[in-house]
Amino acid sequence: MRKLKIFGYICGLIAVASAVSCNKDYLEKKPLTEFQESDVWRDQGLIQAFVNDLYAQMRPGFNEVMLSSMVDESRFIHDYNTSRVVEGNMTPDDLGALNDFARWGSHYKAIRNCNMFMEKIGSVTGLNPDVVARMKGEVFFMRAWYYHMLVKYFGGVPLITYTFNLSGENSDYLNVQRAGFTTCVRYIADQCDSAAKYLPSKYDVIDQKGRVTRYAAFALKSRMLLYAASDLYKFTGNLKDSIICNTTDVTTEFATKSKAAADSIINSGLFALYQPGSDPVDNYGRVFTDKGNNEMIFVKLFDKSLLGTSHDKYNGPNGYHNWGGNVPIENFVTGYEMADGSDFSWANAAQAAHPYANRDPRFYATILFDGAKWKIRPDDGKKTDPIGVIQTGKYETADGKDSVWGLDTRNSTIENWNGTFSGYYMRKFMDITLDAQFLNGDQSWIWFRYAEVLLNKAEASMLLGDFTGAGKLINKVRTRAGMPETNLADASLWDVYRYERRYELAFEEHRFFDLRRWKLAPVALSDPAKAIDVRGSFIPGHPFTYTIFTMQNRKFNEQNYFVPIPASEIRKNLGLTQNPKY
C-alpha cells in the first residue's frame, strides 16, 4: 500500500488552525510519518485535516509581493522580478513574479486532492453525516476556486475531474488538452452550485468562521461569470480562439447568472456595508481591521499568537523600521477624486498647491502621504518627529540655513535601504496600534466582501442595460465612503463604476483582472509608473512644491492579457496549446 504524503496535509492544518477546528484525537494514534492512504479515509480527523489543507494552499494577498505591484496601483521596491512583468517581458520560461500567483502546478495539485476526496468519501463509513456533507461542500468550493484561479490567469485549462497520476512516464498529464474557456466557466459555476447545496449559510462557532459558506460559493460564482461576460472573452468568430474566449455570445446569459448569484447574497440579509461610526475614513479603514464585521463573506483568518501576518512590516514606512515594500504610485494617487466628486488635476493651481486636501475619504484610509498623521515613531525617531507624521520629502530646516531629508525617504537617518521610490506608502489593511518592527498582525485577508457583490451586480446590470438599477447599487458603495451620489443612468455610468472598483477594491487583487477583462490594460499598463518629489519646509507658512517624475518604464503587450503556460508544462505535454504570441 503506497504511502500518502499526509504529513504535508497535517502541517497544512497547523497553518489554518486559527481559521478552522479539527479533531486532534488522531495525533495519539501513530507517528505522523507512518500514516498511509487507507488511514486517512477511515478517520474523520484525518479527513478533516485533508480538507483543511485545501484552505492552507490558498494564497492570501498578505505576502511580501502584492499583485498590485504588477498593475497601476503600486511598485515593489525590492523588485523580486516584478519588473519582468510590468515591462512586458514575461516568457514561458520566466513568468517573473507572477509565477507565485498563477501557480499552475500548485493549483493542479490542490485540484487532484479535491478529486481524490470526491472519489474516496462515498465509501467512508462511520462518520458524522453532517460533517461529511459540509466537507463535500467545502471541496466542491475548493475545486471551483482553484480552477477559477487558473482560468483567470491562463484562459481555458485542462479540466481534470479524477485523481490523475502525476508520476513519470505513466503520468495521465502527458495526454490532457486544454478545455474551452466557456466550458471551464460553466464547470466552475456548476461546482459553486454543488457547493451551495451542502454548505451552511453561516457558522455560529468562532473556530469555524474561516470556513466557506454557501454565500462564499455564490460570491465565487458571481465573480467568475461576471469576468466571463466581459469584453476580453467575447466571441471572436474564430473557433481557434475557444481556449481564451467564449465560443458564442454568452454575455446576457452569464451576466444574468452573475446577477442572480449576487442577489442570493444580497437577499440573505446576512451582510451589509460596514459602517461602525459616522466618519467615512474610519468606516472604510475598519472594514479591513475589525475582525468578523458584517461585510465579510469569506476571509483568511490570522492569529498573531501563531504566524500572524507581516503585512505591516512588509509595507510600512522605513522610518518605522518597516520594509517599504509595495508603494502606491502617483498614477494611482492622482486618480482619487475630490471629496465633492470632481476630478483632481495637477493643472489646477489650487489643487496642485495642496494635493492631499479634500480628496475622496478612502484616500486617507488607503495612502500614507507626505504630512499624513500616522503613529508614534520608534525610540530612535521620536526626537526628530515626536508626533508621528509621514516625511517623504526634503525640507528646509527651522532656522532656514539648511535642508534635510525626511525620515521616510531613501536618505533617512533611521534606515535608507527600504525607503519609498514613489513618495507614498500603503495605509490600507494596516493596524495603527501594531509595532510591526517586532510583532505580526492578525488582520484577515478578504477573499469576498459585500461591497464587491454590490459592484458585481451593478456591472451585470449595466451589461443587461439596467443603468438605473446599477446606479443605485454604485451609490450605496459611494455614500458609505462619504462620496456624493451619481445621478447618471446611461452608458456614461461606466466611468463612475470603474472608478468605484478601482478605489473601493484597491490592493485587493481585482485591478489586475479588471483592466484585462475590460481591455483597458494596453493604455493603463503601458503608462510609465510615476512618483512625486516633495520639497517643503519646517518653517510655518513656507510653501511646499510637488514635482511628478517617471520612476519606472512599463509596457503591456497584446499577449500579456494572459499569462503564458510555463514552458516546463509544455515540455511534459506537447498536447498543451500555448497562449497566443508566446
Side-chain angles (χ1 to χ4, degrees), residues 336-371:
Y336 275 99
E337 292 178 350
M338 302 300 291
D340 63 4
S342 61
D343 290 339
F344 170 85
S345 174
W346 285 103
N348 181 315
Q351 292 177 356
H354 303 283
Y356 308 130
N358 302 315
R359 304 291 286 272
D360 180 330
R362 288 170 291 197
F363 168 76
Y364 303 103
T366 306
I367 306 295
L368 290 175
F369 53 90
D370 185 75

Side-chain angles (χ1 to χ4, degrees), residues 251-272:
T251 300
T252 298
E253 177 196 348
F254 283 177
T256 300
K257 291 179 177 178
S258 173
K259 182 180 177 183
D263 273 331
S264 296
I265 300 167
I266 294 167
N267 295 336
S268 73
L270 293 175
F271 308 98

Side-chain angles (χ1 to χ4, degrees), residues 2-44:
R2 70 183 174 85
K3 288 279 186 80
L4 178 69
K5 295 181 179 177
I6 192 63
F7 181 71
Y9 303 141
I10 297 174
C11 289
L13 174 62
I14 296 172
V16 293
S18 64
V20 293
S21 65
C22 65
N23 181 344
K24 297 182 178 63
D25 291 344
Y26 66 84
L27 293 176
E28 304 302 323
K29 295 180 179 178
K30 64 172 71 175
L32 296 179
T33 54
E34 294 182 12
F35 280 102
Q36 298 186 3
E37 183 177 333
S38 60
D39 293 321
V40 176
W41 304 109
R42 59 173 178 250
D43 185 287
Q44 184 170 303

Side-chain angles (χ1 to χ4, degrees), residues 485-505:
E485 293 186 350
T486 178
N487 58 7
L488 297 174
D490 54 27
S492 58
L493 185 63
W494 275 103
D495 288 339
V496 180
Y497 171 77
R498 287 175 174 142
Y499 174 87
E500 285 305 308
R501 276 195 78 94
R502 184 179 190 185
Y503 290 103
E504 175 66 28
L505 305 178

Side-chain angles (χ1 to χ4, degrees), residues 228-237 244-246 248-249 251 463:
S230 303
D231 288 347
L232 177 61
Y233 305 109
K234 283 188 175 179
F235 178 50
T236 64
I244 57 170
C245 70
N246 293 305
T248 59
D249 185 358
T251 300
L463 289 171

